[in-house]
Amino acid sequence: MTTENIYGNLQGLKANQLKQLQKLYHQRIRIDRITTTDLAERIAAISTELKQPVCVYLNRRGQVMRVGVGTPRQTQIPPLELPRYGVQRLSGIRCLATSLKPIPPSEACLTAMARQRLDALVMFSLTGQGMMRKGGGATGFIENAYVAHLLPISNDNTLWEISPPQDIETVAEQDFQDLVDSLEGEFSREFIAQDVSSQEDRVLLVGLMTGKMTELKFQDSLQELALLVDSAGGKVLATIEQKRANPHPQTLVGAGKVEEIALQVQTLGANLVAFDRDLSPAQVRNLELQFGVRVVDRTEVILDIFAQRAQSGAGKLQVELAQLEYMLPRLTGRGRAMSRLGGGIGTRGPGETKLETERRSIQKRITRLQQEVNQLQNHRSRLRQQRQQQEIPSVAIVGYTNAGKSTLINALTNSEVYAADKLFATLDPTTRRLTITHQETGETRIILLTDTVGFIHELPPSLMDSFRATLEEVTEADAMLHVVDLSHPAWESHIKSVKTILADMPLAPTIELMVFNKIDRADSEHLEIAKEKYPQGLFICASKRLGLETLRTRLVNF
């Protein structure tokens, strides 16, 4: 054993004191006992001599696996080193800790127990004196013992239970195996009652509101993130919010909020934390070390949805390019996975790391994909030129995601483009012919309608770059139908987001027709506001085919 096996505050410890701590690793107890009187008194004797708390962690085989000087919070096992069994099981580790004061475990100690999902926390309050027996052993160092353990989530949000003070002999006689089995049985029944698949992402949402953001915009953004997670196939367990003047440079949210999130991850059994802000690679790395689960930002959730929805070869190509461009700066800091290629003699010093190898490989792939996207761009350009030679006017249907664009093109052209009430249900641009007969002249006119990928607030730049071949369908169109979901509370914000994205596109069509959809579900007050602000706008319900004749008439006159 070496001093590296002792964790926590080692400053000022003597060599013989370190040796006593290291000897604790040789202790082993029965698997059906939470502790023994001898082990408890030995830990208490060392703690009394050091005049500091001592924590000893044991696995279910009764073996000591970690010894630390300090409180359970100061000596806790890092999340990434803990077993990940999910919400239906405990970690398989218990903590025997000492307290210099005759009080029950503090909330900080209990929070550490919950973060590590310990089988139990046993706190020994010390008498401050005792006796060392000849031949080894100790007695009289423990006044009382408290046993704490986790509870299934209840209506009153009680996370743990603490026993009344007991003598150490009573604690040593308790059936530990029976306690663990009964607790895990309750956790498993609760998990089944929640009707959650073990393969499903259980997601904790985190939102940060800074000084420049209004409460309404903040809540709308969080609700949209929840819809994005649902579209990606995850289940939202809870939402945590924080207000700060500025984001924390290392963890985005403050240190106290990081602790709160880490506790919720363990108590709710989350396996993914999604932030409603873009995170830097360093922030992701720091947060994953604290939580012990994957951390993603808004952009990564959107990219995941795009990866699921892409059906055509062109769509898959553009999604892969966007994902690789997002991944490239996030390779650094992956620990041993990105260390030197070899191992041992001859691999140190100059030479190529696995990180450099993977980065170069990704850069090559990105270059190749960009060439293919350029070819796709040229192909679409030739198709547009053919349509323009035929002098067929084209209209691009644009709008916020889930505004009803695909439903509208189906209703106008009797097509069967995939449409669903979810964000980014369709990605690939779809062009359909719309034949309209002028009511006065009887002249038949053909218009090409193109359904484009939906926009979203703060559309990731990598998606904008990768989908430029798709978005050019908008720039080359003769006119635009801007579809707005009037039933959404943030419909005005959606209009601003779409206009902001369109403003960044060169040569976007100047002819724009505002079409307000889902009027059957819209608030009457919002309907009046929209009619007042956009007197030239059309008000329809694509799913019920309301107002489509008026829309066709307006399209004829484009």
Side-chain angles (χ1 to χ4, degrees):
M1 293 289 177
T2 62
T3 55
E4 282 75 22
N5 296 105
I6 309 301
Y7 301 86
N9 181 22
L10 307 185
Q11 187 174 3
L13 296 188
K14 300 175 182 177
N16 68 319
Q17 292 172 334
L18 287 171
K19 189 174 182 180
Q20 289 182 60
L21 289 166
Q22 289 165 358
K23 284 183 177 179
L24 292 173
Y25 280 101
H26 300 293
Q27 298 293 311
R28 186 165 183 167
I29 64 176
R30 286 170 47 182
I31 61 173
D32 62 343
R33 291 293 176 261
I34 195 168
T35 185
T36 63
T37 303
D38 180 67
L39 176 59
E41 290 285 0
R42 187 185 296 266
I43 297 169
I46 296 173
S47 180
T48 301
E49 182 183 346
L50 300 180
K51 296 182 181 179
Q52 292 191 67
V54 171
C55 291
V56 176
Y57 296 82
L58 296 89
N59 58 28
R60 289 189 187 171
R61 295 189 297 274
Q63 299 169 319
V64 175
M65 54 176 294
R66 186 182 180 92
V67 177
V69 179
T71 65
R73 182 173 182 177
Q74 294 167 332
T75 62
Q76 61 187 322
I77 304 171
L80 292 177
E81 295 180 20
L82 289 167
R84 292 294 300 172
Y85 295 127
V87 70
Q88 63 268 51
R89 285 193 62 188
L90 299 166
S91 67
I93 302 169
R94 81 203 80 158
C95 177
L96 309 180
T98 63
S99 172
L100 304 183
K101 299 178 181 179
I103 56 175
S106 66
E107 185 170 348
C109 294
L110 295 167
T111 300
M113 174 185 71
R115 282 193 63 176
Q116 298 169 92
R117 206 161 178 81
L118 298 177
D119 291 353
L121 170 65
V122 185
M123 183 75 74
F124 308 128
S125 61
L126 306 183
T127 61
Q129 57 188 1
M131 181 180 67
M132 301 298 296
R133 292 172 175 166
K134 291 183 179 181
T139 185
F141 289 94
I142 297 177
E143 181 177 354
N144 287 311
Y146 299 88
V147 179
H149 60 77
L150 295 177
L151 291 173
I153 300 174
S154 57
N155 293 330
D156 59 357
N157 291 323
T158 303
L159 300 179
W160 45 65
E161 181 177 273
I162 310 171
S163 73
Q166 308 172 65
D167 59 73
I168 187 59
E169 289 79 11
T170 302
V171 173
E173 290 300 317
Q174 292 179 11
D175 190 330
F176 176 63
Q177 193 69 45
D178 183 62
L179 171 66
V180 170
D181 290 344
S182 62
L183 285 175
E184 290 194 333
E186 291 183 42
F187 290 131
S188 182
R189 283 192 292 273
E190 179 193 41
F191 182 79
I192 294 172
Q194 291 177 352
D195 191 28
V196 179
S197 168
S198 59
Q199 303 298 319
E200 188 176 40
D201 278 326
R202 297 165 56 82
V203 187
L204 201 62
L205 302 185
V206 182
L208 175 66
M209 179 178 175
T210 54
K212 298 179 181 179
M213 188 179 296
T214 64
E215 180 70 28
L216 179 61
K217 185 177 180 181
F218 174 62
Q219 293 299 331
D220 286 341
S221 183
L222 267 181
Q223 291 174 12
E224 187 172 82
L225 178 62
L227 290 173
L228 286 168
V229 169
D230 180 67
S231 293
K235 178 179 176 60
V236 176
L237 302 179
T239 301
I240 296 178
E241 304 174 6
Q242 185 178 42
K243 295 181 181 180
R244 284 176 61 95
N246 296 294
H248 193 286
Q250 295 181 334
T251 54
L252 193 76
V253 293
K257 191 60 66 173
V258 170
E259 286 282 331
E260 180 185 340
I261 297 168
L263 177 60
Q264 290 283 15
V265 165
Q266 292 300 326
T267 55
L268 297 178
N271 59 9
L272 182 69
V273 179
F275 280 76
D276 190 29
R277 288 287 187 98
D278 282 344
L279 299 172
S280 69
Q283 288 173 335
V284 172
R285 186 165 62 252
N286 294 335
L287 291 167
E288 287 184 344
L289 287 173
Q290 291 286 334
F291 302 154
V293 297
R294 286 191 305 121
V295 174
V296 298
D297 57 19
R298 182 187 183 87
T299 296
E300 198 164 356
V301 176
I302 294 173
L303 285 172
D304 184 81
I305 296 172
F306 272 52
Q308 293 181 49
R309 300 281 193 273
Q311 298 296 324
S312 68
K316 292 177 181 178
L317 171 71
Q318 294 171 109
V319 169
E320 184 183 357
L321 178 58
Q323 287 181 315
L324 290 176
E325 289 178 336
Y326 177 84
M327 183 193 305
L328 187 60
R330 286 164 171 77
L331 291 176
T332 306
R334 288 192 177 180
R336 295 180 181 178
M338 292 290 112
S339 60
R340 295 282 168 184
L341 284 170
I345 298 173
T347 63
R348 290 176 278 270
E352 191 169 49
T353 64
K354 187 177 180 182
L355 169 63
E356 291 162 351
T357 302
E358 185 161 338
R359 179 180 284 129
R360 192 176 70 249
S361 174
I362 289 177
Q363 286 173 333
K364 284 183 177 179
R365 179 65 177 162
I366 286 175
T367 302
R368 187 160 60 250
L369 289 174
Q370 284 175 335
Q371 291 173 350
E372 293 182 26
V373 167
N374 291 337
Q375 292 173 2
L376 172 65
Q377 198 172 2
N378 294 333
H379 174 66
R380 290 192 187 280
S381 178
R382 287 192 295 272
L383 291 178
R384 284 193 296 271
Q385 288 175 2
Q386 292 175 9
R387 293 199 298 262
Q388 290 168 0
Q389 289 173 359
Q390 297 173 3
E391 297 184 351
I392 301 177
S394 62
V395 177
I397 303 178
V398 301
Y400 210 80
T401 179
N402 203 34
K405 299 183 295 298
S406 298
T407 303
L408 177 59
I409 199 171
N410 285 338
L412 287 172
T413 64
N414 295 318
S415 303
E416 295 183 355
V417 176
Y418 177 73
D421 188 14
K422 59 178 67 173
L423 304 186
F424 298 114
T426 53
L427 294 184
D428 301 311
T430 305
T431 301
R432 295 289 184 269
R433 285 175 175 258
L434 172 62
T435 303
I436 306 175
T437 302
H438 199 289
Q439 293 181 351
E440 295 180 1
T441 63
E443 180 185 355
T444 300
R445 190 178 185 189
I446 296 176
I447 297 175
L448 294 179
L449 294 180
T450 301
D451 179 20
T452 61
V453 62
F455 297 158
I456 196 168
H457 174 62
E458 295 179 359
L459 187 68
S462 57
L463 284 177
M464 286 285 290
D465 293 338
S466 301
F467 276 77
R468 66 181 186 274
T470 302
L471 296 174
E472 280 190 1
E473 296 289 345
V474 178
T475 63
E476 296 293 334
D478 298 304
M480 289 187 300
L481 282 186
H482 183 171
V483 182
V484 181
D485 177 5
L486 195 58
S487 68
H488 197 287
W491 61 274
E492 290 181 284
S493 175
H494 290 180
I495 292 176
K496 292 179 182 177
S497 297
V498 172
K499 287 186 177 296
T500 299
I501 295 171
L502 290 173
D504 293 335
M505 292 183 183
L507 305 175
T510 56
I511 303 175
E512 179 183 6
L513 176 60
M514 299 292 294
V515 179
F516 294 88
N517 191 22
K518 305 182 185 181
I519 59 172
D520 57 321
R521 293 187 287 174
D523 185 274
S524 58
E525 182 181 352
H526 292 172
L527 187 59
E528 291 301 319
I529 293 173
K531 287 181 177 179
E532 182 178 345
K533 283 189 174 183
Y534 302 93
Q536 299 300 316
L538 293 180
F539 297 84
I540 68 168
C541 175
S543 61
K544 296 183 178 179
R545 299 177 180 269
L546 300 176
L548 296 189
E549 286 303 321
T550 306
L551 175 57
R552 288 190 180 96
T553 302
R554 292 287 291 273
L555 287 174
V556 168
N557 297 323
F558 259 16

